[in-house]
Amino acid sequence: MELTGAQVLLESLRREGVEVVFGYPGGATIDIYHELPKYPFRHVLTRHEQGAVHAADGYARASGKVGVCLVTSGPGATNTVTGIATAYMDSIPLVVFTGQVPTSLIGNDAFQEADIVGITRPCVKHNYLVKDIKDLAETIKQAFYLASTGRPGPVLVDLPKDVLQATVEYAYPGEIHMRSYNPHYEPNSRQIQRVVDLMRFSRKPLLFVGGGVIGSNASEDILWMAKKLNIPVIGSLMGLGAFPGNEPLWFGMVGMHGTYAANMAVNNADLLLAVGVRFDDRVTGKLSSFAEKGKIVHIDIDPTSIRKNVSVDVPMVCDCRRALKALRNELGKDTSINWEEKHEEWVTKIRTWEKSQPMTYDTNGSSFIKPQMVIETIYELTKGRAIIATEVGQNQMWAAQFYKYHKPRTLLTSGGLGTMGYGFPAAIGAQLAFPGSLVIDVAGDGSIQMNIQELATAVSYELPVKIVILNNGHLGMVRQWQELFYNRNYCSTCLHKNPDFVALAKAYGAQGYRIEKRDDVAPVLKEAFATKEPTIVDVLVEPEENVYPMVPAGASLTDMLLV
Amino acid sequence: MRHVLSILVENEPGVLSRVAGLFSGRGFNIESLNVAPTLDAGVSRMTICTKGDEQIIEQIIKQLRKLVTVIKVVDLTHQQAVEREMVLIKVSAEDSRRAEILRIADIFRCKVVDVAANELTLEITGDQGKIRAIINLLQRFGIKEIARTGTGALRRSMQLEE
């Protein structure tokens, strides 16, 4: 079967089982768009290429499938960089196709030319420039394979226009073998034994779960282990949802804005079982005092994560799920220990910390709506069943602190790169993956304006995404730092002339609500969540509310500023 | 501590930039980098000399292995290895000093590869110590230009106990 490059691409996407492609056309990719209507998947036209990548990323996080994005050359390609870097930092499987000028013009500063392979090299798992149509099908197969195996990540394929127009006899490779790429999945049995021994002797073990638990679908095994062995569990921001937030053994997020109980637990545990985490600096605080009283077991598929920041007693490079299954096998056999009893004192200790400093906020003396209360209300209304996307900043931290994630893949947030403007397009992606689910973007008035043009996308495709803006008129998190550490010099963090978000929503053909009174929060949110249209709810909240607890940058986790 | 890494990579465009970019992007230091194809035209060998404590070197090796185009990374530092660098040195050689320069060249088994009225270009190969020594010795005559390949290295076939 003789196909053009454009047809090879689309046929290969079909064989990869791709259902949705997020994209934005241009001169370099027009041949693909010419063929697109003949293929069975949905193309979602966003209003900005950054929106397309974040939407593909949100789709991937929510569904566990590979997100696919298709943009044109030059500016189309460079607009994807932020989204690619976001996915790279959070290990999200994406394949990004960029158009490129014809091979004869590459390097000539041609119209809409950018060296996107060079530009994205530091923020992709791998990237390709396809120079010969004979390599196209194989390259696409490799791209999907690389994106979704090992430690997942974004892969970029750059497609020159003449390659898309050339023809070739089509054959899609069945299996891929790459001599230089062999992710290691199986746990080492000696190391499993070492962990089992450590578990037997520890009195104060702590499970620390991260995004890797969600990525490897290991949540059930974590739940089994925690319950069977009566081990308390804490999570990183990326790990929220990996363990049910409504389980009694869950003690919340650890780190800079983590719970008092989680932070105290880390620095008092005698064994930290870290699964699918990378010990980000926002998690560890001062490295020298992080988990200083305990041994650390670190399970991660990526060897570079291990001992990058924290020295580890038992390193295990393997798939999180397989490691947990192996531990489950070993520990399940052992009936000599009454685990319940062995760890009861420790669990009670953490509960005492939790009771003494619960996740709370000051409700006295302010007539303003508290942003934390808005998140709590969202949780009460949805009972933890919604998919929550967040922007970045205070809104993100409150969404992490005051909403309980019952299931994996229900929190979509830019944990590593901290990308403002991520949440809304990601919510669009998630809504496409789960048309029947309630998808809410928790936003700030600053962040939402970074990709607000995607309202047009949500309206065009009738995606009932809800945007709840915690509108404090500030770039809140930076303002908080200025208040606490920079003598209240609120330079450039006050957003004086925000648009009328309700009118803006209506201008785009979406719904808009504004909430100014505390008593309106629950009823208006309830009404908004019931609509079938994309909706903005602009909630005017306390302008100078801060996120607490807070560990100042560089301080030890136990040095928390509390409410 | 100085480490010599021997790296096999896919011989394809951009691979050098991936490796070099990894070093610069992560704040690792490259002392020298040498790259050329092996017998298999599809595979190149890079020899990279770098410095760092054990934790940094461990990260460098792991990060290199993580690159999709990298096939194999070996740290030759704790093994017995043959290390050589080739250097071309253009040195001032007035008539009065020429004989002395040639005597040094002879002792170091250099080759004279170019001669002019007042200059000599020498080719020398050797390990780091030898190269350092001859550069030191020639400096007083005035080195006009120098071109170094950076270290190339191979593991010794027999790893004898020391």
Side-chain angles (χ1 to χ4, degrees):
Chain A
M1 187 169 45
E2 186 100 338
L3 297 184
T4 66
Q7 290 166 333
V8 168
L9 169 66
L10 294 166
E11 179 59 27
S12 305
L13 294 187
R14 191 180 70 76
R15 297 202 186 187
E16 286 294 333
V18 173
E19 289 158 355
V20 191
V21 175
F22 299 87
Y24 202 101
T29 53
I30 200 162
D31 292 278
I32 304 169
Y33 281 86
H34 183 63
E35 299 291 335
L36 193 65
K38 298 176 200 153
Y39 286 84
F41 36 77
R42 198 161 180 195
H43 177 269
V44 174
L45 173 68
T46 57
R47 294 301 183 273
H48 190 296
E49 287 88 353
Q50 188 187 350
V53 194
H54 289 326
D57 170 312
Y59 174 89
R61 289 189 208 223
S63 67
K65 298 174 188 163
V66 178
V68 179
C69 178
L70 170 61
V71 301
T72 194
S73 66
T78 55
N79 277 345
T80 64
V81 172
T82 303
I84 293 172
T86 305
Y88 182 64
M89 289 287 271
D90 291 342
S91 310
I92 306 304
L94 278 192
V95 178
V96 178
F97 294 98
T98 51
Q100 183 55 278
V101 301
T103 46
S104 56
L105 289 181
I106 288 179
N108 281 6
D109 302 326
F111 177 65
Q112 292 197 328
E113 181 189 357
D115 171 17
I116 197 63
V117 168
I119 290 169
T120 56
R121 211 168 266 142
C123 61
V124 291
K125 184 166 171 185
H126 194 54
N127 58 16
Y128 298 89
L129 167 63
V130 183
K131 280 186 150 168
D132 186 334
I133 187 164
K134 290 196 209 85
D135 301 331
L136 182 56
E138 167 94 16
T139 304
I140 295 168
K141 181 83 190 174
Q142 284 188 9
F144 277 88
Y145 174 63
L146 285 173
S148 58
T149 54
R151 179 178 181 169
V155 177
L156 182 139
V157 183
D158 201 20
L159 305 164
K161 185 160 170 131
D162 56 325
V163 172
L164 293 171
Q165 289 173 332
T167 56
V168 73
E169 186 61 29
Y170 181 71
Y172 200 57
E175 265 192 29
I176 284 286
H177 173 72
M178 297 169 77
R179 63 178 159 187
S180 53
Y181 177 75
N182 297 294
H184 189 262
Y185 293 105
E186 286 305 325
N188 172 304
S189 57
R190 263 207 341 257
Q191 284 167 331
I192 289 288
Q193 207 48 55
R194 279 180 70 193
V195 179
V196 169
D197 290 341
L198 284 172
M199 300 269 277
R200 284 209 180 96
F201 290 109
S202 74
R203 312 295 301 182
K204 296 189 276 186
L206 187 63
L207 265 166
F208 173 26
V209 297
V213 171
I214 296 173
S216 69
N217 299 314
S219 298
E220 260 183 44
D221 304 285
I222 291 280
L223 184 61
W224 179 92
M225 187 136 116
K227 281 183 148 177
K228 167 90 181 171
L229 309 180
N230 193 26
I231 303 181
V233 187
I234 59 168
S236 66
L237 175 62
M238 291 300 295
L240 298 181
F243 190 82
N246 53 341
E247 279 284 334
L249 283 166
W250 171 251
F251 291 96
M253 183 170 75
V254 66
M256 182 175 274
H257 295 296
T259 64
Y260 181 79
N263 285 351
M264 293 300 287
V266 166
N267 281 11
N268 284 284
D270 65 1
L271 176 63
L272 187 67
L273 270 165
V275 190
V277 300
R278 60 185 180 90
F279 295 106
D280 180 76
D281 50 290
R282 291 274 151 126
V283 159
T284 59
K286 190 173 162 190
L287 274 171
S288 57
S289 62
F290 179 78
E292 59 187 338
K293 294 180 193 153
K295 295 214 183 293
I296 300 180
V297 174
H298 189 185
I299 306 174
D300 202 289
I301 186 93
D302 179 2
T304 65
S305 284
I306 288 168
R307 272 201 289 266
K308 186 165 63 181
N309 303 326
V310 169
S311 68
V312 171
D313 299 279
V314 186
M316 291 182 68
V317 178
C318 62
D319 175 59
C320 293
R321 189 168 180 204
R322 295 192 201 187
L324 289 164
K325 288 231 181 297
L327 285 173
R328 199 171 156 164
N329 272 342
E330 287 297 312
L331 292 162
K333 281 189 244 162
D334 192 340
T335 50
S336 65
I337 298 175
N338 183 341
W339 298 98
E340 185 83 22
E341 212 170 77
K342 181 160 106 68
H343 301 145
E344 197 46 41
E345 198 180 320
W346 169 234
V347 174
T348 310
K349 178 81 191 159
I350 304 179
R351 271 195 228 293
T352 321
W353 283 322
E354 193 181 39
K355 284 211 184 80
S356 71
Q357 297 289 345
M359 189 49 79
T360 186
Y361 50 96
D362 183 9
T363 47
N364 298 324
S366 172
S367 56
F368 284 108
I369 300 169
K370 290 285 177 176
Q372 299 92 332
M373 174 245 188
V374 179
I375 305 292
E376 283 179 336
T377 310
I378 295 175
Y379 177 69
E380 281 156 24
L381 290 172
T382 61
K383 312 236 161 21
R385 281 198 289 263
I387 297 173
I388 305 288
T390 81
E391 302 294 341
V392 165
Q394 289 184 320
N395 63 81
Q396 178 186 33
M397 288 301 112
W398 287 317
Q401 291 175 331
F402 291 90
Y403 191 95
K404 296 186 184 77
Y405 300 88
H406 293 192
K407 286 194 178 141
R409 306 192 181 280
T410 53
L411 171 64
L412 320 176
T413 194
S414 170
L417 196 65
T419 309
M420 288 173 73
Y422 167 79
F424 178 38
I428 287 177
Q431 189 78 78
L432 276 150
F434 296 102
S437 293
L438 177 59
V439 182
I440 302 167
D441 174 36
V442 174
D445 47 318
S447 283
I448 191 61
Q449 294 185 65
M450 286 209 174
N451 271 318
I452 199 155
Q453 76 287 346
E454 299 307 329
L455 265 174
T457 310
V459 170
S460 321
Y461 293 90
E462 297 176 359
L463 302 169
V465 172
K466 313 299 172 205
I467 303 169
V468 179
I469 303 177
L470 303 176
N471 188 343
N472 57 15
H474 283 97
L475 301 175
M477 191 58 98
V478 186
R479 190 210 57 76
Q480 174 170 340
W481 280 56
Q482 288 172 330
E483 177 189 328
L484 297 175
F485 312 115
Y486 291 85
N487 295 327
R488 297 173 190 261
N489 178 12
Y490 296 155
C491 180
S492 297
T493 44
C494 184
L495 300 173
H496 290 293
K497 296 276 182 186
N498 269 332
D500 176 340
F501 288 111
V502 175
L504 186 73
K506 291 190 173 144
Y508 272 105
Q511 284 274 15
Y513 297 88
R514 180 169 294 114
I515 304 178
E516 296 177 55
K517 289 202 293 276
R518 218 176 287 182
D519 290 345
D520 292 343
V521 173
V524 175
L525 282 178
K526 193 172 178 190
E527 189 185 327
F529 293 169
T531 63
K532 295 274 176 253
E533 289 167 72
T535 304
I536 285 186
V537 187
D538 183 23
V539 193
L540 305 186
V541 299
E542 166 94 58
E544 299 198 12
E545 184 65 21
N546 288 339
V547 181
Y548 291 117
M550 179 176 193
V551 178
S556 164
L557 283 188
T558 47
D559 292 336
M560 282 166 272
L561 307 174
L562 300 162
V563 176
Chain B
M1 185 185 161
R2 178 177 176 270
H3 284 249
V4 179
L5 306 179
S6 183
I7 306 161
L8 291 177
V9 297
E10 300 284 352
N11 185 6
E12 59 180 50
V15 64
L16 173 60
S17 140
R18 281 182 212 280
V19 171
L22 186 149
F23 276 78
S24 61
R26 294 193 179 266
F28 303 142
N29 179 43
I30 295 182
E31 198 174 86
S32 76
L33 189 160
N34 167 298
V35 52
T38 60
L39 274 181
D40 176 348
V43 178
S44 288
R45 181 185 301 277
M46 285 189 188
T47 311
I48 298 184
C49 296
T50 183
K51 269 189 183 143
D53 60 30
E54 287 305 310
Q55 193 261 346
I56 299 261
I57 298 295
E58 183 183 326
Q59 262 302 308
I60 291 176
I61 293 173
K62 285 173 169 178
Q63 294 283 0
L64 283 168
R65 285 185 180 142
K66 195 166 137 182
L67 292 178
V68 169
T69 36
V70 168
I71 301 164
K72 194 176 179 188
V73 184
V74 179
D75 185 355
L76 293 173
T77 315
H78 302 300
Q79 306 193 28
Q80 285 160 8
V82 192
E83 266 183 51
R84 290 291 182 274
E85 177 173 6
M86 203 265 271
V87 188
L88 294 173
I89 304 173
K90 189 181 282 176
V91 60
S92 286
E94 302 298 335
D95 288 342
S96 58
R97 321 205 63 176
R98 185 170 297 245
E100 197 180 344
I101 294 171
L102 288 172
R103 203 154 48 235
I104 292 172
D106 195 37
I107 293 166
F108 279 82
R109 294 193 199 96
C110 299
K111 266 193 216 156
V112 177
V113 289
D114 188 45
V115 187
N118 52 1
E119 282 173 2
L120 276 173
T121 302
L122 304 178
E123 171 198 312
I124 176 160
T125 57
D127 62 13
Q128 276 224 314
K130 186 172 167 190
I131 302 289
R132 218 181 300 135
I134 190 161
I135 290 174
N136 247 331
L137 281 169
L138 292 179
Q139 238 157 5
R140 65 196 161 103
F141 303 103
I143 294 177
K144 293 192 157 173
E145 280 185 286
I146 192 160
R148 305 178 63 161
T149 60
T151 299
L154 284 179
R155 184 179 178 273
R156 281 192 193 277
S157 305
M158 290 206 288
Q159 295 285 309
L160 299 175
E161 278 177 38
E162 282 176 14

